[in-house]
Amino acid sequence: MKQLALKRFFWSTALSFSLVACGVEQTSITSNIFHNVTAHFNGYFYAKEGAREVEELILKSLDDDHNKILLLYPRLDTVLAKSYKKNTDEIIKMASISIQRHPNSLWVDDNYVMVGLARLYACDYQNAILTFKYVNTKSRDVRLRHIALINLVRTFTEMGDYDRAEEAIRFLEKEKLGKRNMKKFLLEKANYYQVRNDYNNMVNNLSKADTLLTRHDRRGRIYFIVGQVYQKLGFNAEAYNFYKKCLATNPDYEIDFYARLNMAQVAKLGSMRDIRLIRKQFDKLLKDTKNAEFKDKIYFELGEFEHKQGNLDNALKDYKLAAHAGKNKRTQGMAYLRVGQINFDSLKKYKPAKLYYDSAVASLPKDYEDLEKIKKRQNVLGEFVKYTETITLNDSLLYLSTLDTATIRHRFDSLAATQKKVVSKKKRKRSLVANNNDSSPQNNLPSGNPTSDAETGDWYFASRDLMATGQTEFERVWGDVKLEDNWRRSSRSNSTLSDASSAQPTEEAKTKSDAQPRPTEKKEDLVAKLIAQLPDTEEKKNEALAKIEDAYFHLGDLYYFNLNEKDNAAESYEKLLARFPKSEKRPEVLYKLYLIHKEKNDGQAEKYAQLLQDEYPTSTFARLLVNPDYIKETTALAEKQKLMYKEAYTLYQQNNLRPAMEKVNEALTAGETNFTPQLTLLKILITGRTEDVSQYQYDLNEFIQKYPKHPLKAYAEQLVASSKTFVEKVEKAKENKFGSTSGTHFFVVVYNSADRITNPVVDALEKFNATSWKGLKLTTSNLGFEDKTMTMCVEIPDREKAMAYYYQFLSDLSKNKPFSDYKIYNFVITKDNFQILYRTKSLDEYLTFFDKNYQK
């Protein structure tokens, strides 16, 4: 008992001494050991474990797209940071407690690093920077200072502050780093260069880090990324080696799978034996049940391999199988795109290319690289197909219009029978494919895609290509709609009878059934619609021919400018000239043919140049032959003419008609440009104020005939109509017998009563009278005038003062509110004429009288 008591006394005394010795301010050996051990295995340990958990959560957020170069590190963002906020708060709490309770321990700076990491992962970048800078400046441990600087590189990179990141990198490159810090630094540098899309420096740093990597660094992923970069840069041999090193690390399944696929892409093929070996590897991948969900990708990469070898038929088959095999929209879209590209670039089959491009654009994600270029080519193909269909359709309709109705019906019956045989043959083929459980490439076509060139024909209604376009357009508008009842409604009805097989049809159903057209009725209706479209009059035939002419012209332009196919462009232009020798487009077409044959240097260019100069010597295109800078020079002249036009128009508005006419004539004599019509019309407007109305109307009609397709033609036609109306009003005004224009006058403003602007109009006029016409002592009054209101200023003693008042009103008041915001008439009128105006309510006639007898 005495010994037990003695032991208890000893240990209690030792514990008491320890507690006293381990105070925060104590620096004894015992105190240092206590604080170091506690700071390390309490605060720092739990903070580090928390940081590891956060890093795992961040890694899980990676959504890898193996078609692109994988990311070394996931990108941090505030949305993701909210999901692990409790973790980062706990890290800061544990590290901070350790710092506060053990300020003299050896783990203070390590805990500060943990606080900085937590703030970095929480996207609290500014506080993270302050923390890492504190460690870098205050810590005596060189290793920790390097760690802080390495983390600063990551922080600046995430912020997008690349200048400061570069500065930190340059400083660290001069430091002597330990192995662990060197590995971390090289990886952070590689991440920085990846963010900057500097793949050359990225792969250099990853290669340097190779010997420092351990199993915990996910070596397989890093080797895979290096292989991807080398592959992108065109170093296939190096890419192959790194993919091989990746497989040797036994990486995650997806990395393993894509490494094998990419190896096939970069493998050096020296003989047919090598090619057969690669094909066997693809077959092995396809047969492996673990790769069932990746079949689309395997088929796509096999298509890429065959395409690279120039085996277009095999490539097309594999791409179509890829589009059909999986549910990955990106891979499906890429497969459709490759088929479209082969049809476009290699096979020159633009109709099926259009359909595949439609399907590709519908399937590819919005962030797909070069999607805008793909859409541009899709639009070109859309235009191309539109014009080829226009030619085919209208040629067919013109041909059918020469046949009698019985012949048309007979041909339609023959076509229907042929189509029925084709459909039956396809059904049997699909049934055979289903029984053999085989994936036929014919089932992999995009909606509406033609499957056989043999099924197409010159006659529009025999062409399955053209008729299938409707289905593709349907899918473009409505999407991939499941085949079900009420497919067009936003919410389908769920009231499907479970025992439909035994249910009796209702009266409504019988009525609907009776209302359904019989097959023969459908055919007859279709034939009737077809006959109704036939151009059976000369006017309709001319319209169809005009559409064909326009289509040939635009088709030639697409071939020439968009598809860069000069031979096809020349063929389209020549067809246009052959079928439409008097075409308005003939000068331009001759010039384009001259340019095409000049580029081809086949000796034909001079023929078209001579035709152009003989037939259209004054045309822009003939002038271009003589002076290739003609457009440039006339453009400069047109800009000069625009300035002269502006001066002339200002003079015209100010009623300075003589100098306005001189300026217009000066511009017109400078030369003919694309701005000449505007100048010509302004000259006519000046003529309208200085010459007789008949001359004005004649000049306008000449302008309309000379420029039938100019945008100003419609305005000129309006002016002709207005001038005719003016003449009619003048004649009518004579009937109203408005009298003398001398004597006492009223100034009148007329506006719609519904506008309710009487008070502001009266206020403005009274203020105007008080400031500018105080001596006349004018009074203001209002009078109803049908659905309008008259506000009058009375009395002005004579015509001269009345017109002076009128012109000053125009310059001082008419451009201000309320006059500028509403439709308002203003004029001066004698007392006697006002009585006639008010009695006859002939406002338009008096305005005509006023323009003719008062205006300058």
Side-chain angles (χ1 to χ4, degrees), residues 16 42 83 115 142 190 232 235 302-303 478 539 674 742 752 774:
S16 298
N42 281 354
S83 65
V115 172
V142 177
K232 181 180 180 69
F235 300 109
L302 181 55
W478 295 102
E539 182 181 356
N674 59 356
S742 61
N752 291 325
K774 188 175 181 180

Side-chain angles (χ1 to χ4, degrees), residues 19 46 59 68 91 207 262 329 579 813 839:
L19 292 174
Y46 288 114
L59 283 175
K68 299 178 180 178
I91 295 168
S207 299
N262 291 352
K329 298 296 285 183
R579 291 191 63 174
L813 285 190
R839 185 181 68 251

Side-chain angles (χ1 to χ4, degrees), residues 354 358-359 361-362 378 447 469-481 487-488:
K354 167 66 170 67
D358 287 344
S359 298
V361 170
Q378 177 201 19
S447 302
T469 306
Q471 186 175 349
T472 303
E473 181 65 12
F474 174 89
E475 289 199 352
R476 185 185 68 79
V477 175
W478 295 102
D480 189 10
V481 180
W487 63 268
R488 195 172 182 177

